[in-house]
Amino acid sequence: MEISYNNEFKGKGHHCATFLIRCMDFRFHKALEENMEQILGESSCAFDSPGVGGGGSKSIIDEESRRVVFSALNIAMEKHGVNRVVIADHIDCGAYGGSGKFANEDEEEKFHVEKLKEAKRVLEVDYKNLEIVLIYQSWNSIKTI
Ligand SMILES: [Zn+2]
């Protein structure tokens, strides 16, 4: 099988301002991607994404996956001119034990907000000049922290 498509980026260079660090969980990708322009207040918003398993904030907090994420981020900054990182956590994330670990959705969100802030602090140690945007995605909303 061969499928034809039109790549909107053909011939337009490699510049991309945003690096998205998110969980591999497929259930949250479509909604997040469809709303990135609104979240960041930009039209035609493109982003690099390393595609690391284990959650947005967790992939930065854990030293092993951090090396992979930072390596990809370094390439994105050098080759694509990335100057903003979006760290996206989501509800019912298996990397943190899923929703069943929490008494309710408010408690789960508070946990993720703390983890996102921790990931931001870790990121800021090595990257002083990046804009960092924190996102929490529930089943029916996406909010910036
Ligand atoms: Zn997840």
Side-chain angles (χ1 to χ4, degrees), residues 23 25 55 90 93-95:
C23 186
D25 194 327
H90 68 88
C93 186

Side-chain angles (χ1 to χ4, degrees), residues 22-130:
R22 62 178 167 182
C23 186
M24 68 192 294
D25 194 327
F26 67 95
R27 299 174 296 171
F28 297 89
H29 288 182
K30 190 176 176 191
L32 185 58
E33 288 175 12
E34 286 176 350
N35 290 289
M36 281 290 279
E37 290 184 9
Q38 191 175 346
I39 292 164
L40 297 175
E42 288 179 1
S43 59
S44 64
C45 174
F47 53 86
D48 286 332
S49 184
V52 175
S57 62
K58 196 166 192 295
S59 69
I60 296 172
I61 294 167
D62 289 353
E63 287 182 29
E64 192 175 329
S65 52
R66 184 189 309 158
R67 280 194 289 274
V68 176
V69 173
F70 282 15
S71 172
L73 175 57
N74 291 338
I75 292 168
M77 291 172 69
E78 185 185 323
K79 303 287 187 192
H80 299 168
V82 158
N83 56 19
R84 175 200 293 132
V85 170
V86 176
I87 309 170
D89 271 18
H90 68 88
I91 195 167
D92 196 29
C93 186
Y96 284 122
S99 291
K101 188 180 153 192
F102 303 94
N104 54 54
E105 291 189 5
D106 286 345
E107 191 181 297
E108 185 172 3
E109 182 175 332
K110 278 183 200 154
F111 171 86
H112 279 281
V113 167
E114 289 310 308
K115 288 297 179 185
L116 285 162
K117 289 177 178 173
E118 183 180 347
K120 181 180 179 183
R121 288 193 297 272
V122 170
L123 194 62
E124 284 172 336
V125 171
D126 288 331
Y127 301 94
K128 310 256 184 256
N129 297 317
L130 284 176

